[in-house]
Amino acid sequence: MKTLCFLIITGLFTAPFSFAQVRVNDPGRVVERNVEYRANSKIDQGINKGLDKVEEGVMGIFKKKDKSKQTKTTPENAPATESANTNPDNSKAENAPSSQAGSSNPSATNANAPGTVTKEPATLKSYSKFDFVPGDKVIAVEDFMQDAIGDFPAKWNSSGSGEVVTIDGKTGHWLMLSKKGEYFPEYITNLPENATLQFDLATNPEFNFYSSELFVNLVALEKQAKDFITWGRHTQGKDGVRVALHPRNAGSTGGITLFENFIGGERLLHNEATMRQFNAAEGRNLVSVSFWRQKQRLRVYVNEEKIWDIPRAFQPSVPYNTVVFSTADMHTENDRYYISNLRLAVGAPDTRNKLITEGKFVTHGILFDTNSDKIKPESYGAMKDIANVLIENADVRVRIIGHTDADGDDASNLTLSKRRAEAVKSALASMFGIGNERLETDGKGESQPAGPNTTAEGKANNRRVEFIKL
């Protein structure tokens, strides 16, 4: 009898916790309309609160709340690259898109959450082998800020489903992809011979080896709205270049990447490789991805790591015009990819000719943390590019001028632009040995726009650094 009573009492106390274990199977739920991931959505509100506590204790970072509160879902092992905000009032200065900018709420960084692998912040110095230089003019920017949390983005089309979410400790909105499908940004209609494509990519930390890769397809389509669906995992597309990214190999020692190109439906090249930077097993589940097309050549970077450099990736006679992201089935229902801060720029910078011959060079490739003068590490290639010109022309002096968009008030933007110009001067001197006597600085804030401040693309082109030959 004592044994029976003990078993009954034990069952009563352990049953709620067993049920809670079921509830944390999918910590990445964001909105209530995902029925297949919300089988238990009718549970009593009081129990839900208790289960949320269990989720928080077990998973550390992913949090689930009411959609109306725009709660953030979090890749819990996101590298701890948050930087301090040097502007005490975020509303008073431009809100530049930032892939790894710090949250104004210190509690949102989750740097010491259970299971988190804390990484040292990336620096310009750590990108010393990064030679990526963005295109001359920004023609497309996507941060999903115009889209409501839980919705599919208005300017995209898809054969599957996805939704806009936020991530703890990271600025902006993200497109979450957790199901098989093709995803097409309709506003991209041309991929010229000289073009760069950048975006931020994240996954959940326990991403399964057997779940789908994220495929990034740069393709030529006659009818974009119809033909983009041919670039799924088992492609039926005709002309295109494909790179696949996956955060976990069989031994969890790195990520996996694949390269393929097709002409007339026939695959010409195929290769697979391991990559170090996109590696969920080591907490590297949030990265910056950069594609660089120079005529036929393709270079691809994940953070500072160059993962592909293919001299004949693109065919010279093919009119590439479309970007298609695609995924296949996920082995585990928790697995998903997050995309944000997509940026397409065109045109070769031609730094030396513009500075030495024309007397002025403008770059959109020197990026800063939001409302800060801290230079992002992925700016290294653009910094090195201008430094090489100054090293080769030792008698040239330049004035460095910072510019912002029109978000915020004039005075704060003016101050921010001056601080950013000083930061560039300091980096050129300390990292590349350019003498301070050769460098002057100034800032114009929002007073000299290069484009309209009414569009994301216009604002991106207004956020720039100019070098004027003296």
Side-chain angles (χ1 to χ4, degrees):
M1 180 63 70
K2 289 182 178 180
T3 302
L4 179 59
C5 290
F6 175 77
L7 291 175
I8 292 172
I9 293 170
T10 302
L12 289 173
F13 278 98
T14 59
F17 294 99
S18 298
F19 180 73
Q21 296 293 339
V22 174
R23 287 301 305 269
V24 299
N25 274 348
D26 185 16
R29 305 183 187 92
V30 179
V31 293
E32 295 174 355
R33 62 183 175 77
N34 288 343
V35 177
E36 66 257 43
Y37 296 153
R38 295 293 303 265
N40 298 310
S41 62
K42 299 297 184 180
I43 296 172
D44 174 79
Q45 183 180 4
I47 295 178
N48 258 336
K49 292 181 179 179
L51 295 180
D52 286 344
K53 292 293 185 181
V54 174
E55 288 179 347
E56 181 178 359
V58 175
M59 298 308 295
I61 293 175
F62 281 100
K63 299 176 182 178
K64 176 180 71 63
K65 296 182 181 177
D66 188 85
K67 171 182 172 180
S68 64
K69 296 179 181 179
Q70 298 189 6
T71 298
K72 302 179 179 182
T73 61
T74 307
E76 68 182 32
N77 287 359
T81 51
E82 292 83 9
S83 62
N85 184 351
T86 59
N87 189 327
D89 185 355
N90 288 349
S91 67
K92 298 297 185 179
E94 63 169 10
N95 185 22
S98 171
S99 65
Q100 297 178 354
S103 169
S104 60
N105 179 5
S107 65
T109 62
N110 293 299
N112 297 316
T116 297
V117 179
T118 302
K119 299 293 182 182
E120 289 299 318
T123 64
L124 273 171
K125 187 176 181 180
S126 71
Y127 272 60
S128 60
K129 295 182 180 179
F130 188 64
D131 59 357
F132 175 82
V133 182
D136 191 47
K137 181 180 180 181
V138 179
I139 62 171
V141 172
E142 177 66 274
D143 59 9
F144 305 108
M145 291 304 293
Q146 75 279 1
D147 299 299
I149 300 299
D151 287 349
F152 188 83
K155 297 190 295 183
W156 290 55
N157 196 4
S158 174
S159 65
S161 64
E163 50 191 294
V164 175
V165 300
T166 56
I167 296 179
D168 278 347
K170 301 297 170 184
T171 59
H173 291 178
W174 297 69
L175 174 59
M176 183 180 74
L177 309 179
S178 59
K179 293 184 179 180
K180 178 180 179 180
E182 296 78 44
Y183 304 87
F184 159 48
E186 296 177 308
Y187 49 83
I188 295 179
T189 58
N190 188 27
L191 297 172
E193 287 189 341
N194 289 291
T196 58
L197 175 70
Q198 300 167 267
F199 60 93
D200 292 334
L201 174 64
T203 66
N204 53 297
E206 299 302 326
F207 199 93
N208 193 285
F209 166 71
Y210 295 102
S211 287
S212 171
E213 309 94 325
L214 175 71
F215 298 94
V216 186
N217 307 283
L218 310 182
V219 300
L221 299 180
E222 291 184 10
K223 298 179 179 180
Q224 288 179 309
K226 175 184 177 182
D227 296 338
F228 79 93
I229 63 172
T230 63
W231 286 94
R233 179 172 187 172
H234 303 292
T235 179
Q236 298 176 336
K238 294 182 179 180
D239 301 311
V241 171
R242 156 175 285 188
V243 172
L245 303 167
H246 191 289
R248 189 181 298 270
N249 62 16
S252 295
T253 59
I256 306 168
T257 180
L258 170 147
F259 169 82
E260 297 176 307
N261 67 347
F262 299 83
I263 184 74
E266 179 183 356
R267 188 172 71 178
L268 303 182
L269 299 175
H270 169 85
N271 198 8
E272 293 184 11
T274 296
M275 54 183 167
R276 297 176 295 103
Q277 289 295 316
F278 195 32
N279 181 2
E282 294 187 1
R284 300 171 189 245
N285 58 315
L286 193 157
V287 294
S288 296
V289 181
S290 306
F291 283 66
W292 188 357
R293 180 190 181 188
Q294 290 177 299
K295 296 185 178 180
Q296 289 185 262
R297 183 179 182 181
L298 173 68
R299 285 179 280 188
V300 183
Y301 307 78
V302 174
N303 287 348
E304 77 274 17
E305 178 185 6
K306 183 187 293 184
I307 61 172
W308 295 111
D309 193 343
I310 311 296
R312 298 291 182 270
F314 297 93
Q315 302 302 310
S317 59
V318 174
Y320 300 91
N321 62 353
T322 309
V323 177
V324 180
F325 295 90
S326 56
T327 60
D329 291 322
M330 298 298 177
H331 185 75
T332 303
E333 67 176 1
N334 297 340
D335 290 348
R336 67 242 12 253
Y337 291 100
Y338 303 83
I339 298 171
S340 189
N341 298 321
L342 187 147
R343 179 185 177 103
L344 177 67
V346 300
D350 193 16
T351 310
R352 186 185 187 283
N353 178 63
K354 290 183 178 179
L355 181 61
I356 303 304
T357 304
E358 300 178 17
K360 178 180 178 180
F361 172 68
V362 181
T363 178
H364 303 94
I366 300 178
L367 305 175
F368 301 86
D369 283 352
T370 304
N371 302 330
S372 169
D373 58 4
K374 181 179 178 182
I375 301 172
K376 285 179 173 293
E378 54 263 40
S379 306
Y380 186 91
M383 294 285 295
K384 184 178 180 180
D385 188 40
I386 186 66
N388 286 341
V389 174
L390 295 175
I391 291 170
E392 293 167 2
N393 299 269
D395 58 335
V396 171
R397 297 174 60 248
V398 296
R399 178 178 295 116
I400 305 166
I401 304 176
H403 296 266
T404 72
D405 62 29
D407 289 352
D409 65 62
D410 296 0
S412 295
N413 284 335
L414 180 61
T415 299
L416 181 62
S417 67
K418 291 178 181 292
R419 293 205 326 266
R420 287 180 170 179
E422 283 291 335
V424 172
K425 174 183 176 179
S426 177
L428 287 172
S430 62
M431 296 196 63
F432 302 99
I434 308 299
N436 282 316
E437 70 279 0
R438 300 177 58 191
L439 307 173
E440 296 182 6
T441 65
D442 196 5
K444 300 297 183 181
E446 60 186 77
S447 64
Q448 297 181 2
N453 276 292
T454 55
T455 66
E457 292 77 18
K459 291 180 181 180
N461 281 304
N462 289 336
R463 295 189 294 265
R464 66 197 190 276
V465 178
E466 293 183 350
F467 295 86
I468 307 297
K469 182 180 175 183
L470 298 176

